[in-house]
């Protein structure tokens, strides 16, 4: 079973890897965006860890809804509301149970990813974070390690795609040949699940 502590470790591991990879995320966002993805998420996840340290919510669901609210209020840019919605919707699906199973988390994350697709209007193949998140939640039943591998492959598979959503879509065919920054950060978020689990 996964308790609130697991979810705090997940958010802390995400913040740490976003910190480590911030320059790379920003570099990916420079040819097909406005070179702010790394700094956007760095600011957002620093705020998430700060609020979680201060408020220490006792339930998995409230860890994620609080984290999501924080991302929405601190991340300028498209990715803030999208990641915020992912975590808030996932948290809401977990309810106020003190512990949840891996299966419940997988189901809640699928609801979260669906909410992101509704909000942003992106489908798989549009060269967005959805291209890492959808394969990840599909692989979650096989464990966090399988989800991490699927998200990484999904992010790399955005390279040959033409962007149909977000800033990169303004470039049309010139968006082809670059890995999507949001799919790359989504792979970090999913990899952090395995880290929080000690895998
Ligand atoms: P901005 O584009 O406002 O500068 P960021 O640089 O922080 O925001 O995030 C860009 C990332 O957000 C993209 O790489 C893409 O993965 C994701 N993104 C943008 N628009 C959408 C959308 N409509 N649906 C899903 N993801 C999106
Ligand atoms: Mg950007």
């Amino acid at each position: 079973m996964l308790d609130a502590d697991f979810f705090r470790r997940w958010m802390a591991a995400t913040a740490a890897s976003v910190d480590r990879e911030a320059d790379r995320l920003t570099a990916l966002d420079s040819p097909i965006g406005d070179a702010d993805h790394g700094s956007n998420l760095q600011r957002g996840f620093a705020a998430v860890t700060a609020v979680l340290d201060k408020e220490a919510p006792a339930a998995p669901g409230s860890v994620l809804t609080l984290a999501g609210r924080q991302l929405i209020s601190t991340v300028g840019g498209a990715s803030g509301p999208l990641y915020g919605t992912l975590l808030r919707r996932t948290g809401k699906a977990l309810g106020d149970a003190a512990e949840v199973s891996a299966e419940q988390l997988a189901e809640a994350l699928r609801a979260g990813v669906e909410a992101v697709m509704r909000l942003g209007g992106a489908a798989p193949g549009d060269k967005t974070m959805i291209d890492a998140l959808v394969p990840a939640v599909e692989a979650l039943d096989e464990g966090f390690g399988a989800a991490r591998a699927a998200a990484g492959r999904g992010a790399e598979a955005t390279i040959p795609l033409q962007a149909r959503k977000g800033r990169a879509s303004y470039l049309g065919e010139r968006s082809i040949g670059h890995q999507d920054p949001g799919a790359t950060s989504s792979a970090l978020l999913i990899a952090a699940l395995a880290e929080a689990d000690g895998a």
Side-chain angles (χ1 to χ4, degrees):
M1 291 297 271
L2 308 168
D3 60 7
D5 225 48
F6 169 87
F7 286 83
R8 278 198 293 273
R9 288 200 304 278
W10 178 24
M11 292 297 105
T14 304
S17 69
V18 161
D19 256 343
R20 276 195 306 271
E21 300 287 327
D23 289 349
R24 177 167 165 252
L25 295 173
T26 287
L28 290 172
D29 194 34
S30 87
I32 58 168
D34 56 353
D36 64 355
H37 192 57
S39 48
N40 277 346
L41 289 190
Q42 213 171 8
R43 186 172 58 251
F45 279 96
V48 166
T49 47
V51 79
L52 291 179
D53 281 348
K54 191 164 143 252
E55 297 195 18
S62 28
V63 170
L64 295 188
T65 49
L66 182 59
R69 266 210 312 278
Q70 205 64 10
L71 288 179
I72 290 169
S73 62
T74 57
V75 179
S79 62
L82 294 164
Y83 276 125
T85 295
L86 174 67
L87 296 183
R88 277 179 47 173
R89 183 67 189 87
T90 303
K92 193 176 160 209
L94 292 176
D96 55 11
E99 293 189 328
V100 300
S101 66
E103 291 72 28
Q104 285 172 309
L105 173 56
E107 197 181 320
L109 267 172
R110 285 192 273 268
V113 172
E114 273 163 30
V116 175
M117 291 172 72
R118 270 196 306 277
L119 176 67
D126 286 347
K127 198 183 183 94
T128 70
M129 57 175 70
I130 291 303
D131 291 314
L133 292 172
V134 164
V137 295
E138 282 172 359
L140 259 182
D141 292 337
E142 296 148 55
F144 295 139
R148 167 172 54 190
R153 281 194 304 272
E156 282 174 21
T158 62
I159 296 173
L161 298 176
Q162 177 172 335
R164 284 193 288 254
K165 289 287 171 205
R167 243 175 235 287
S169 67
Y170 308 155
L171 291 177
E173 286 182 2
R174 282 179 296 137
S175 63
I176 293 172
H178 303 278
Q179 184 164 321
D180 180 62
T184 309
S185 57
S186 286
L188 298 179
L189 177 75
I190 300 297
L193 269 178
E195 267 186 73
D197 197 39

